[in-house]
Amino acid sequence: MHSFLRKLVTLEAYRSSYHKASHGYSGGANGDIACDLYHKYKEDVQLMGDTGLEAYRFSISWSRLIPGGRGPVNPKGLQFYNNYIDELISHGIQPHATLFHSDLPQALEDEYGGWLSRKIVKDFTAYAEVCFKEFGDRVMYWTTINEANIYAIGGYDIAITPPRRCSSPFGVNCSRGNSSNEPYIVVHNMLLAHSSAMKLYRRNYKSTQHGFVGFNIYGLWCIPYTNASADVSAAERANEFYTGWIVNPFIFGDYPSIMKKASGTRIPTFTKYEAKLVKGSVDFIGLNHYTTAPVKDKPSSTENHSRDFITDMEAEVSLAALTADQYPVIPSGLYELLEYLKEAYGNLPIYIHENGQKTRRNGTLHDTSRIEYLHAYIGSVLDAVRNGSDIRGYFAWSFLDGLELLGGYVPSYGLYYVDLDDKELTRYPKLSAYWYANFLKGKNSTNSAIFQAGDKLIPIYKS
């Protein structure tokens, strides 16, 4: 059992830097430097090796590789990613690359509205080809888009994330956008862009590179608030909206019928060609899971002509856990989500791309709550594997304390603390780092010497 988990468990990278982070959702913090991976990647990769990682998921920034969105490639960006990938491989760490992680080149947003336009399909496919061509001889695992469902809702319905579009009465401080249809349009174009990139990969690169291409979603698991049949149905609808919205087209070539009925003409329709292109266009689904949400039935008035994704769902999803200092430990939620995906969508291959506990940054290095969380959720993954789920890997979020999109530098997810007040940005191991390293190496993680190190500032290295 333990040796199997060591192969199954890997570790997540911290989030790629977000450009020009808005004061509204990150406290004014930005990712211009963040953890300074650009200069410290060799030391960080060494630390990954010392921790015992066998794989590492990171994001390639479209904006840094091709600043104009299309056209000339930035040679410094290209060189950095080549160096980074080579460094990972030299330490026996398998690279898993994500192509879009919320940082769209501003030029494409200005020119045609970014993901709101079908024009992005061509530009994204060209960007993906640059990555396949330049890095695909060493990168075998590609994720085209990260958290497509939450990117669309957060950025085009409630406007708490870039590009902060919404329309009244939905969203926050709406000044532009249309919450009623833009989230649906954005996801539609993301699915088309992904499937176009996949078609290109299968045609031009699969036979020589032998890689795999997947798509990532935010895996919120919804459960009924009460045992009342209305709440049970509401939770089922919510799961169809949050998860089926993305996965259903990949398996069946269309959106869930309940979504189409609720949204009507506001959700785009797949042509026969598009449906054929999208269906079967994933080698795996990447899953980001943090918590479980209780759901109440909330019928929408048929007289309400102003509707959005949330109104269409006709369910009240409690997201209080997302704003708390720590997530509740509910590992059954991840197990049930994995069972749902297995039963509803034919047991497609899954990577847990993100899973981790949030704490207050600088709170303590003695982060026992993170150990409790990781231990419980890794156990639920093992239970799902034992019950037949085709889970190929697990990445904990996150390696270092980095810039978080919604909280800036306030929340902490890392196994390693980064001292932002130190010009060297020194990394310090938390108790969870010792626990995780010993877990991966098959050692007793309750060794007293490990716990004694928990609250001491022990620098791993300085540059």
Side-chain angles (χ1 to χ4, degrees):
M1 177 184 74
H2 203 245
S3 61
F4 172 79
L5 262 185
R6 282 187 59 211
K7 294 179 180 179
L8 181 69
V9 176
T10 52
L11 186 66
E12 174 55 72
Y14 53 84
R15 293 186 187 268
S16 43
S17 297
Y18 292 90
H19 307 295
K20 299 180 181 178
S22 164
H23 179 78
Y25 52 80
S26 62
N30 66 61
D32 291 352
I33 297 176
C35 297
D36 200 15
L37 176 72
Y38 184 80
H39 294 104
K40 299 177 77 69
Y41 73 92
K42 287 188 177 181
E43 299 155 273
D44 281 347
V45 172
Q46 180 63 55
L47 183 56
M48 295 175 206
D50 293 343
T51 306
L53 307 191
E54 296 176 356
Y56 182 80
R57 174 178 172 249
F58 66 97
S59 299
I60 296 172
S61 170
W62 188 353
S63 303
R64 289 175 175 173
L65 192 62
I66 310 175
R70 59 178 177 273
V73 174
N74 173 15
K76 288 187 176 180
L78 181 63
Q79 186 63 55
F80 168 73
Y81 287 117
N82 271 315
N83 291 343
Y84 189 28
I85 292 165
D86 287 344
E87 194 72 16
L88 289 167
I89 291 173
S90 72
H91 284 74
I93 299 171
Q94 185 183 72
H96 289 236
T98 297
L99 296 179
F100 180 76
H101 201 141
S102 301
D103 55 350
L104 180 74
Q106 189 63 43
L108 303 186
E109 184 73 23
D110 295 341
E111 180 184 341
Y112 54 69
W115 290 105
L116 286 170
S117 171
R118 292 289 182 99
K119 292 180 180 179
I120 202 166
V121 174
K122 180 179 179 181
D123 286 336
F124 180 81
T125 305
Y127 157 57
E129 180 159 32
V130 170
C131 294
F132 297 151
K133 180 180 178 181
E134 298 291 345
F135 313 128
D137 58 329
R138 289 152 292 157
V139 176
M140 288 189 62
Y141 296 91
W142 298 96
T143 302
T144 52
I145 293 168
N146 183 76
E147 291 187 358
N149 48 355
I150 297 303
Y151 180 81
I153 298 167
Y156 297 85
D157 188 353
I158 57 179
I160 59 171
T161 56
R164 306 197 73 180
R165 295 176 63 90
C166 62
S167 58
S168 182
F170 313 106
V172 181
N173 298 324
C174 301
S175 61
R176 58 182 182 145
N178 186 338
S179 296
S180 292
N181 64 3
E182 287 189 1
Y184 295 126
I185 293 170
V186 165
V187 163
H188 196 75
N189 290 335
M190 284 182 158
L191 294 173
L192 295 179
H194 160 85
S195 54
S196 174
M198 171 59 104
K199 181 180 180 181
L200 171 77
Y201 186 83
R202 286 174 171 168
R203 183 181 68 228
N204 296 349
Y205 297 97
K206 179 76 172 180
S207 62
T208 55
Q209 296 181 358
H210 310 293
F212 304 90
V213 181
F215 195 92
N216 176 281
I217 64 171
Y218 184 91
L220 180 70
W221 180 241
C222 298
I223 59 173
Y225 185 77
T226 71
N227 291 329
S229 59
D231 287 350
V232 172
S233 296
E236 292 173 353
R237 282 198 306 277
N239 286 320
E240 287 271 18
F241 270 71
Y242 278 109
T243 301
W245 184 19
I246 309 297
V247 183
N248 213 80
F250 287 136
I251 306 303
F252 303 113
D254 202 357
Y255 298 113
S257 58
I258 195 168
M259 288 192 74
K260 294 197 296 179
K261 182 178 179 180
S263 59
T265 58
R266 290 178 290 111
I267 193 167
T269 301
F270 289 107
T271 65
K272 288 184 178 180
Y273 171 78
E274 290 169 349
K276 184 178 180 181
L277 188 69
V278 172
K279 184 179 179 180
S281 66
V282 287
D283 291 323
F284 63 86
I285 287 292
L287 199 62
N288 297 354
H289 176 83
Y290 291 93
T291 192
T292 296
V295 176
K296 294 180 181 179
D297 183 46
K298 188 179 181 181
S300 300
S301 171
T302 56
E303 298 177 0
N304 183 4
H305 298 293
S306 183
R307 297 172 66 93
D308 70 338
F309 175 90
I310 297 170
T311 311
D312 288 342
M313 189 164 52
E314 296 193 344
E316 180 181 332
V317 181
S318 175
L319 299 176
L322 297 180
T323 58
D325 284 347
Q326 294 187 12
Y327 297 124
V329 180
I330 314 174
S332 60
L334 177 54
Y335 175 82
E336 289 169 8
L337 174 57
L338 293 170
E339 286 293 293
Y340 166 73
L341 288 167
K342 181 183 71 175
E343 298 299 329
Y345 299 108
N347 203 18
L348 70 170
I350 290 174
Y351 284 87
I352 310 296
H353 273 164
E354 295 182 23
N355 178 240
Q357 178 61 288
K358 172 176 59 173
T359 58
R360 298 287 293 184
R361 191 182 179 97
N362 301 349
T364 178
L365 297 181
H366 199 84
D367 58 341
T368 53
S369 63
R370 182 164 290 109
I371 295 172
E372 177 190 2
Y373 182 100
L374 292 173
H375 184 270
Y377 279 82
I378 290 170
S380 72
V381 173
L382 179 57
D383 288 341
V385 170
R386 285 170 166 165
N387 205 35
S389 287
D390 189 5
I391 301 165
R392 304 292 178 89
Y394 172 99
F395 295 79
W397 188 274
S398 58
F399 185 53
L400 305 178
D401 284 341
L403 173 68
E404 294 294 332
L405 181 60
L406 292 176
Y409 295 110
V410 175
S412 155
Y413 287 84
L415 302 181
Y416 291 85
Y417 166 70
V418 179
D419 187 354
L420 298 177
D421 295 323
D422 177 0
K423 66 178 182 179
E424 306 288 351
L425 294 172
T426 306
R427 280 70 159 134
Y428 297 97
K430 301 178 188 178
L431 183 60
S432 58
Y434 292 105
W435 177 86
Y436 201 82
N438 278 273
F439 169 73
L440 291 175
K441 296 169 185 177
K443 297 180 181 179
N444 182 358
S445 60
T446 59
N447 185 294
S448 59
I450 298 171
F451 281 86
Q452 290 170 6
D455 275 320
K456 294 179 181 178
L457 289 176
I458 305 172
I460 290 297
Y461 59 76
K462 284 197 174 187
S463 53

